[in-house]
Amino acid sequence: MHTLTLTPREAARLLAETHGLKASEPLVPLGSELASTFHATIGAREVAVKLQASSPKELAVQRWRAAVASRLSAQGHPVPSTLPARDGTIVGTITHNGREVAITVSEWITGTPYGELGEQLDTVAFGHALGSAAARLQATLVGAQRPPRPILHSWAAHTMTETITAHLPRITDATIAEIAASALDLLERVVTPVAAELPNTLVHQDLHDSNVLADADGGIAAFIDFDDMLVGWRVAEPAIAAAYLARHTDDPRAAVDAVAAGWEAALPFAEAERRAYRALVLARLALNAVIWHVRAGDDRAAYGELRSAGTVHTFHALLADGWAEEELA
């Protein structure tokens, strides 16, 4: 998938053409790994706009993801509703500079990415709420439509061994190399022996600290950005959520276990998931450190710095004393 970088002016023009929405103020850029995303004000209405590089093959997946998110919203989950394009499709398309662009517009949810809350965030209480809400989301995703084609990407939990291994030749930092080696060892010793027993299902796969919005009371306001959604290990959902939450506290182990407790209050772990959970948290942190280290020189380097902040310290804090190899109580 190609990176798409557009100016606010370009994005506003395309938005008006595909959705008939004319911005009353300049669009405000938001961060994204591959897309161009903006906060748009349309008179008294506020929306989030995502513009992505597309193709006939990718468009089918982009529309599938938007449809699943729309269904979750309609069923009462904290997921923004999606606004259809002028032609009635859930994701609009347009050609820009000879390339196809897919445009998704969703309602703007008032909330704060929890990673921006700093000391205001009670990570244990929030972790429990996060795990519980993610488990309830999973209960609906089980019955959701599957993707129109198999999906693979570099952030998938079930392919972390292959992805980290593939990046090893490009690692130039000794600390990142050591983290990668430790994660590969954990995956081999702890996760691989139970991998065949891990339940597979549809997962959001990216509940990180910018994709989970907190409300004014410290609860879950919204889950956003379903662009990594695929069929994979169910336990990846709480493990990924816990990995990023752990970066925002002086007690990362308590945060990781709080997410697990919240999840299990709504959806009990399978025995294999209990065995693999903590190791997968560490592996996700390692994957984060490795990918953004390797991509440090590309045009999303600033975004990568934000996404990887605190990862190395948290990985080492969780790795110590064999904690990551212990099964959940």
Side-chain angles (χ1 to χ4, degrees):
M1 194 64 178
H2 297 292
T3 300
L4 178 67
T5 302
L6 297 172
T7 67
R9 185 183 296 273
E10 289 172 322
R13 179 179 64 79
L14 298 180
L15 173 64
E17 292 190 34
T18 59
H19 286 72
L21 299 174
K22 295 185 178 180
S24 51
E25 300 177 16
L27 271 59
V28 179
L30 307 170
S32 178
E33 181 181 0
L34 297 173
S36 284
T37 57
F38 299 90
H39 176 201
T41 301
I42 316 294
R45 189 175 205 174
E46 294 178 275
V47 297
V49 184
K50 174 170 284 188
L51 304 97
Q52 301 168 279
S54 191
S55 68
K57 185 178 179 182
E58 288 299 326
L59 182 60
V61 173
Q62 289 161 340
R63 284 182 168 161
W64 162 74
R65 285 178 169 140
V68 171
S70 181
R71 180 171 180 260
L72 291 169
S73 177
Q75 293 187 334
H77 292 284
V79 175
S81 60
T82 305
L83 283 63
R86 296 172 72 179
D87 62 6
T89 58
I90 197 164
V91 174
T93 58
I94 193 169
T95 300
H96 175 70
N97 290 341
R99 295 176 61 183
E100 188 169 3
V101 176
I103 304 179
T104 307
V105 180
S106 56
E107 68 169 312
W108 183 261
I109 300 294
T110 300
T112 305
Y114 80 77
E116 298 178 9
L117 293 178
E119 294 182 359
Q120 301 176 53
L121 185 69
D122 181 337
T123 51
V124 170
F126 190 81
H128 196 281
L130 174 56
S132 180
R136 293 194 297 273
L137 190 79
Q138 174 54 219
T140 300
L141 283 174
V142 165
Q145 181 183 1
R146 291 303 188 256
R149 62 175 176 82
I151 298 173
L152 297 173
H153 64 64
S154 56
W155 293 101
H158 57 282
T159 56
M160 286 193 291
T161 295
E162 293 83 352
T163 302
I164 292 173
T165 300
H167 282 75
L168 290 178
R170 297 175 62 191
I171 295 175
T172 58
D173 180 275
T175 298
I176 303 299
E178 176 263 324
I179 286 174
S182 296
L184 289 173
D185 178 62
L186 266 179
L187 287 166
E188 181 180 2
R189 290 189 298 103
V190 179
V191 179
T192 299
V194 299
E197 303 167 43
L198 294 174
N200 274 277
T201 186
L202 193 60
V203 286
H204 179 286
Q205 181 71 35
D206 202 23
L207 296 178
H208 63 58
D209 41 12
S210 291
N211 285 343
V212 180
L213 307 185
D215 61 26
D217 298 321
I220 307 299
F223 293 140
I224 63 173
D225 191 357
F226 284 74
D227 283 347
D228 282 2
M229 185 166 59
L230 46 64
V231 175
W233 290 337
R234 183 177 66 179
V235 70
E237 205 80 295
I240 291 168
Y244 289 96
L245 180 63
R247 303 189 312 169
H248 296 278
T249 175
D250 293 331
D251 191 354
R253 296 182 181 186
V256 170
D257 287 349
V259 173
W263 176 277
E264 190 147 45
L267 181 63
F269 283 112
E271 187 57 37
E273 293 176 314
R274 302 182 71 80
R275 178 70 181 124
Y277 172 73
R278 287 178 174 174
L280 288 172
V281 171
L282 268 290
R284 175 63 177 217
L285 288 167
L287 183 69
N288 176 279
V290 166
I291 286 179
W292 289 118
H293 165 72
V294 168
R295 292 181 57 183
D298 70 14
D299 66 350
R300 299 294 166 104
Y303 178 77
E305 254 185 76
L306 171 68
R307 296 292 344 115
S308 59
T311 295
V312 170
H313 172 78
T314 305
F315 181 91
H316 286 138
L318 293 177
L319 183 68
D321 306 323
W323 175 87
E325 300 176 46
E326 297 175 6
E327 182 176 325
L328 284 171

